[in-house]
Amino acid sequence: MLAMGAAIVIGFCVMATLKVLVGVWIKRRKHRTAVLVISGLSCLSIPFGTVVGVFSFLVLFRPSVSALFDAPKEIPEG
């Protein structure tokens, strides 16, 4: 029982870490494929993760968003 509980807690911690990383990657417009994969994994967290994952797919598959991920990155001044 202890091992199962520890595995569940570790799984939740890993998913939380991945979701934070996805937020950073979206902000920097990097690793689109990884963002899509983790959005898919997020769909396993019923019901809120499913909603977030589906809306992530809807937004990330837009041509305008794909262009933002594919565009060369500008170096900020200052």
Side-chain angles (χ1 to χ4, degrees):
M1 291 294 269
L2 180 66
M4 284 178 40
I8 290 171
V9 168
I10 290 170
F12 281 127
C13 290
V14 167
M15 281 304 294
T17 304
L18 288 174
K19 288 179 184 182
V20 169
L21 273 174
V22 164
V24 171
W25 292 338
I26 288 174
K27 182 179 178 183
R28 295 181 183 171
R29 296 182 187 105
K30 290 184 169 184
H31 309 292
R32 183 173 178 265
T33 305
V35 171
L36 288 170
V37 169
I38 297 169
S39 294
L41 290 175
S42 176
C43 289
L44 298 174
S45 302
I46 298 170
F48 299 113
T50 304
V51 173
V52 171
V54 169
F55 283 119
S56 297
F57 284 132
L58 291 175
V59 171
L60 289 170
F61 282 126
R62 290 181 187 165
S64 60
V65 176
S66 292
L68 288 174
F69 274 87
D70 295 335
K73 309 301 181 264
E74 295 180 16
I75 299 172
E77 295 180 19

